[in-house]
Short mmCIF file of all heavy atoms in Angstrom, two decimals:
data_model
loop_
_atom_site.label_atom_id
_atom_site.label_comp_id
_atom_site.label_asym_id
_atom_site.label_seq_id
_atom_site.Cartn_x
_atom_site.Cartn_y
_atom_site.Cartn_z
N LEU T 163 0.81 -1.21 0.00
CA LEU T 163 0.00 0.00 0.00
C LEU T 163 0.85 1.26 0.00
O LEU T 163 0.60 2.21 -0.75
CB LEU T 163 -0.92 0.01 1.22
CG LEU T 163 -2.10 -0.96 1.21
CD1 LEU T 163 -2.74 -1.01 2.60
CD2 LEU T 163 -3.13 -0.54 0.17
N LEU T 164 1.87 1.28 0.84
CA LEU T 164 2.64 2.50 1.04
C LEU T 164 3.52 2.82 -0.16
O LEU T 164 3.59 3.99 -0.60
CB LEU T 164 3.49 2.38 2.31
CG LEU T 164 4.17 3.65 2.79
CD1 LEU T 164 3.14 4.73 3.09
CD2 LEU T 164 5.00 3.37 4.04
N ALA T 165 4.21 1.82 -0.71
CA ALA T 165 5.12 2.09 -1.82
C ALA T 165 4.39 2.65 -3.05
O ALA T 165 4.77 3.71 -3.57
CB ALA T 165 5.91 0.83 -2.18
N PRO T 166 3.33 2.00 -3.56
CA PRO T 166 2.62 2.61 -4.71
C PRO T 166 2.03 3.98 -4.39
O PRO T 166 1.98 4.85 -5.26
CB PRO T 166 1.52 1.59 -5.02
CG PRO T 166 2.00 0.31 -4.44
CD PRO T 166 2.77 0.68 -3.21
N GLY T 167 1.58 4.17 -3.14
CA GLY T 167 1.05 5.47 -2.77
C GLY T 167 2.10 6.56 -2.87
O GLY T 167 1.84 7.66 -3.40
N LEU T 168 3.30 6.27 -2.38
CA LEU T 168 4.39 7.24 -2.49
C LEU T 168 4.82 7.44 -3.93
O LEU T 168 5.15 8.56 -4.35
CB LEU T 168 5.57 6.78 -1.64
CG LEU T 168 5.38 6.83 -0.12
CD1 LEU T 168 6.55 6.17 0.60
CD2 LEU T 168 5.22 8.27 0.36
N TRP T 169 4.81 6.36 -4.71
CA TRP T 169 5.18 6.49 -6.13
C TRP T 169 4.24 7.42 -6.87
O TRP T 169 4.68 8.25 -7.67
CB TRP T 169 5.18 5.10 -6.80
CG TRP T 169 6.21 4.17 -6.25
CD1 TRP T 169 7.28 4.49 -5.46
CD2 TRP T 169 6.26 2.76 -6.42
NE1 TRP T 169 8.00 3.36 -5.12
CE2 TRP T 169 7.40 2.28 -5.70
CE3 TRP T 169 5.46 1.84 -7.10
CZ2 TRP T 169 7.73 0.94 -5.66
CZ3 TRP T 169 5.81 0.48 -7.06
CH2 TRP T 169 6.93 0.04 -6.36
N LEU T 170 2.96 7.28 -6.61
CA LEU T 170 1.99 8.15 -7.28
C LEU T 170 2.18 9.61 -6.86
O LEU T 170 2.10 10.52 -7.70
CB LEU T 170 0.56 7.71 -6.94
CG LEU T 170 0.09 6.40 -7.59
CD1 LEU T 170 -1.25 5.97 -7.02
CD2 LEU T 170 0.01 6.54 -9.11
N MET T 171 2.47 9.85 -5.58
CA MET T 171 2.68 11.22 -5.12
C MET T 171 3.94 11.81 -5.75
O MET T 171 3.95 12.99 -6.15
CB MET T 171 2.77 11.25 -3.60
CG MET T 171 2.86 12.65 -3.03
SD MET T 171 2.66 12.72 -1.25
CE MET T 171 0.92 12.29 -1.09
N ILE T 172 4.99 11.02 -5.86
CA ILE T 172 6.22 11.49 -6.49
C ILE T 172 5.96 11.83 -7.96
O ILE T 172 6.44 12.85 -8.48
CB ILE T 172 7.33 10.43 -6.36
CG1 ILE T 172 7.76 10.31 -4.90
CG2 ILE T 172 8.53 10.78 -7.24
CD1 ILE T 172 8.65 9.12 -4.62
N ALA T 173 5.19 10.98 -8.64
CA ALA T 173 4.87 11.24 -10.04
C ALA T 173 4.13 12.56 -10.20
O ALA T 173 4.41 13.35 -11.11
CB ALA T 173 4.03 10.09 -10.61
N VAL T 174 3.19 12.84 -9.31
CA VAL T 174 2.44 14.09 -9.37
C VAL T 174 3.36 15.28 -9.16
O VAL T 174 3.29 16.29 -9.88
CB VAL T 174 1.31 14.08 -8.32
CG1 VAL T 174 0.66 15.46 -8.21
CG2 VAL T 174 0.25 13.04 -8.69
N LEU T 175 4.25 15.19 -8.18
CA LEU T 175 5.14 16.31 -7.88
C LEU T 175 6.13 16.57 -9.02
O LEU T 175 6.49 17.71 -9.29
CB LEU T 175 5.91 16.03 -6.58
CG LEU T 175 5.06 16.04 -5.30
CD1 LEU T 175 5.90 15.59 -4.11
CD2 LEU T 175 4.48 17.41 -5.04
N CYS T 176 6.59 15.50 -9.68
CA CYS T 176 7.56 15.68 -10.76
C CYS T 176 6.91 16.15 -12.05
O CYS T 176 7.54 16.85 -12.85
CB CYS T 176 8.30 14.36 -11.02
SG CYS T 176 9.46 13.88 -9.72
N GLN T 177 5.65 15.77 -12.28
CA GLN T 177 5.00 16.08 -13.56
C GLN T 177 4.07 17.30 -13.50
O GLN T 177 3.76 17.87 -14.54
CB GLN T 177 4.18 14.86 -14.01
CG GLN T 177 5.01 13.66 -14.40
CD GLN T 177 5.77 13.86 -15.70
OE1 GLN T 177 5.37 14.64 -16.56
NE2 GLN T 177 6.89 13.17 -15.84
N GLY T 178 3.62 17.66 -12.29
CA GLY T 178 2.60 18.70 -12.19
C GLY T 178 2.97 20.00 -12.84
O GLY T 178 2.16 20.60 -13.57
N ARG T 179 4.19 20.48 -12.61
CA ARG T 179 4.58 21.77 -13.16
C ARG T 179 4.76 21.71 -14.68
O ARG T 179 4.65 22.73 -15.36
CB ARG T 179 5.89 22.22 -12.50
CG ARG T 179 6.41 23.56 -12.98
CD ARG T 179 7.55 24.02 -12.10
NE ARG T 179 8.66 23.09 -12.11
CZ ARG T 179 9.72 23.19 -12.94
NH1 ARG T 179 9.77 24.16 -13.83
NH2 ARG T 179 10.70 22.32 -12.87
N ILE T 180 5.04 20.52 -15.21
CA ILE T 180 5.32 20.40 -16.64
C ILE T 180 4.04 20.26 -17.45
O ILE T 180 3.81 20.99 -18.42
CB ILE T 180 6.26 19.18 -16.88
CG1 ILE T 180 7.59 19.41 -16.17
CG2 ILE T 180 6.48 18.97 -18.38
CD1 ILE T 180 8.50 18.21 -16.17
N VAL T 181 3.18 19.30 -17.06
CA VAL T 181 1.92 19.12 -17.79
C VAL T 181 0.83 20.03 -17.25
O VAL T 181 -0.26 20.08 -17.81
CB VAL T 181 1.47 17.64 -17.72
CG1 VAL T 181 2.53 16.73 -18.32
CG2 VAL T 181 1.19 17.21 -16.28
N TRP T 182 1.09 20.71 -16.20
CA TRP T 182 0.31 21.69 -15.46
C TRP T 182 -0.81 21.02 -14.67
O TRP T 182 -1.47 20.09 -15.10
CB TRP T 182 -0.24 22.80 -16.33
CG TRP T 182 -0.55 24.01 -15.50
CD1 TRP T 182 -1.78 24.56 -15.27
CD2 TRP T 182 0.38 24.78 -14.75
NE1 TRP T 182 -1.66 25.65 -14.44
CE2 TRP T 182 -0.34 25.80 -14.10
CE3 TRP T 182 1.76 24.71 -14.56
CZ2 TRP T 182 0.26 26.74 -13.27
CZ3 TRP T 182 2.37 25.65 -13.74
CH2 TRP T 182 1.62 26.64 -13.10
N TRP T 183 -0.95 21.54 -13.45
CA TRP T 183 -1.78 20.91 -12.44
C TRP T 183 -3.26 20.79 -12.84
O TRP T 183 -3.90 19.78 -12.54
CB TRP T 183 -1.69 21.72 -11.14
CG TRP T 183 -0.28 21.97 -10.72
CD1 TRP T 183 0.48 23.07 -10.97
CD2 TRP T 183 0.57 21.07 -10.00
NE1 TRP T 183 1.74 22.93 -10.44
CE2 TRP T 183 1.82 21.72 -9.83
CE3 TRP T 183 0.40 19.79 -9.47
CZ2 TRP T 183 2.88 21.12 -9.16
CZ3 TRP T 183 1.46 19.20 -8.80
CH2 TRP T 183 2.68 19.86 -8.66
N THR T 184 -3.79 21.79 -13.47
CA THR T 184 -5.23 21.79 -13.78
C THR T 184 -5.53 21.34 -15.20
O THR T 184 -6.70 21.32 -15.59
CB THR T 184 -5.80 23.20 -13.57
OG1 THR T 184 -5.09 24.13 -14.40
CG2 THR T 184 -5.67 23.63 -12.12
N GLU T 185 -4.51 20.98 -15.96
CA GLU T 185 -4.72 20.61 -17.36
C GLU T 185 -4.73 19.10 -17.59
O GLU T 185 -5.14 18.65 -18.66
CB GLU T 185 -3.63 21.25 -18.23
CG GLU T 185 -3.63 22.76 -18.24
CD GLU T 185 -4.92 23.32 -18.83
OE1 GLU T 185 -5.42 22.74 -19.81
OE2 GLU T 185 -5.41 24.34 -18.30
N SER T 186 -4.26 18.32 -16.63
CA SER T 186 -4.18 16.87 -16.80
C SER T 186 -4.99 16.20 -15.69
O SER T 186 -4.61 16.27 -14.50
CB SER T 186 -2.73 16.39 -16.75
OG SER T 186 -1.98 16.97 -17.81
N ALA T 187 -6.07 15.54 -16.06
CA ALA T 187 -6.95 14.92 -15.07
C ALA T 187 -6.27 13.81 -14.28
O ALA T 187 -6.57 13.59 -13.10
CB ALA T 187 -8.21 14.38 -15.76
#
C-alpha cells in the first residue's frame, strides 16, 4: 500500500509543473 502510494505522489510532484496541475486529469 505505502510504496505505490508514495510512487503516485512522487509522479504528481515531478509532472505537475510540466503538464500543469489543472490541465491533466
Side-chain angles (χ1 to χ4, degrees):
L163 288 169
L164 190 60
L168 290 172
W169 296 345
L170 289 172
M171 186 170 290
I172 291 169
V174 170
L175 291 174
C176 289
Q177 293 289 334
R179 180 170 60 94
I180 298 172
V181 301
W182 202 245
W183 308 96
T184 58
E185 297 296 322
S186 298

